[in-house]
Amino acid sequence: MLAGMKRAVLYVIAGPVGIVAYGLVRLWARSDGVYGPGLDWQAAHLVALAGMVCFVPGVLALSRLLPRSPWRTGVVAGTLVGLAATMVQFGADIVEGLLAEDRAEMSRLGAEFKDIPGVEVAFYDVVPQFFFLGLLVLTGMLAARRRLPWWSVPLLLAGIVLPAVTLDLLPIGGLCMALALVPALPLVRQQDERAESPVPVP
């Protein structure tokens, strides 16, 4: 039971930690001036993909801190759709890295994938942004109900914007996201404890 109680808390924090790890592995991989294809490329993208996977139960755990409503359902749905698109993007990068013999061929494979009608919109330019927008709105809803402090919203926004300026800021961005969500962890733990408490038999 103890492991089950800690699981949701772990997922909430593991998503942002995955972004931090992705950024650090990426910086290390680029330090020699050669990044992809190869083990360094695969390691960075596998870590990133694992982080995105952890965000799914993390988002669901955070959403359960709010009362049920169509608005909550819509925000969570949009966030998960964005997450799914982001996972496809990282999955495509991993496959392209496996198939390519050099950076030029990897770029060519990536361009061919993006040339498929709808792919660039669905998995790169538009739909993945639903994840970040949805997570920001969810954080705002939690702050409005005092489930998170007010400063979690601008801190999470900073975590989203910084990597958009340059991917070299991914570790700082992921750290900002983690710090923004940390105050919710005790509430998530309490929620799990209530959910796993045995129902008294009358």
Side-chain angles (χ1 to χ4, degrees):
M1 179 180 290
L2 183 60
M5 290 190 296
K6 292 181 177 179
R7 196 169 299 129
V9 173
L10 176 64
Y11 286 137
V12 169
I13 204 65
V17 168
I19 293 177
V20 174
Y22 169 45
L24 291 175
V25 174
R26 181 181 176 277
L27 286 174
W28 167 77
R30 288 168 56 87
S31 62
D32 61 358
V34 181
Y35 180 46
L39 181 60
D40 52 359
W41 175 272
Q42 299 299 340
H45 286 77
L46 284 170
V47 168
L49 182 58
M52 294 301 106
V53 170
C54 288
F55 262 115
V56 174
V59 166
L60 293 175
L62 290 171
S63 72
R64 287 193 289 270
L65 299 178
L66 296 167
R68 293 183 181 180
S69 69
W71 180 240
R72 186 192 79 168
T73 300
V75 170
V76 171
T79 306
L80 296 181
V81 167
L83 268 171
T86 304
M87 291 179 204
V88 171
Q89 180 184 145
F90 280 117
D93 289 344
I94 291 169
V95 172
E96 290 157 11
L98 287 172
L99 296 177
E101 294 185 0
D102 53 33
R103 181 76 189 191
E105 186 177 3
M106 192 169 65
S107 297
R108 180 183 61 79
L109 290 172
E112 288 178 357
F113 180 57
K114 289 181 180 180
D115 283 342
I116 299 173
V119 163
E120 195 156 10
V121 170
F123 303 124
Y124 291 90
D125 293 343
V126 178
V127 180
Q129 312 315 318
F130 292 176
F131 160 54
F132 299 105
L133 178 61
L135 186 61
L136 184 63
V137 172
L138 182 62
T139 302
M141 293 170 68
L142 289 166
R145 288 190 167 267
R146 302 183 185 277
R147 317 303 278 175
L148 281 173
W150 67 268
W151 48 260
S152 287
V153 179
L155 190 58
L156 185 76
L157 180 60
I160 293 170
V161 171
L162 286 175
V165 176
T166 170
L167 291 177
D168 290 344
L169 293 176
L170 273 167
I172 298 176
L175 181 60
C176 288
M177 296 175 75
L179 292 174
L181 299 177
V182 158
L185 298 185
L187 296 176
V188 172
R189 182 179 292 110
Q190 291 172 14
Q191 173 185 261
D192 280 356
E193 288 173 351
R194 288 195 299 268
E196 296 191 11
S197 295
V199 178
V201 179

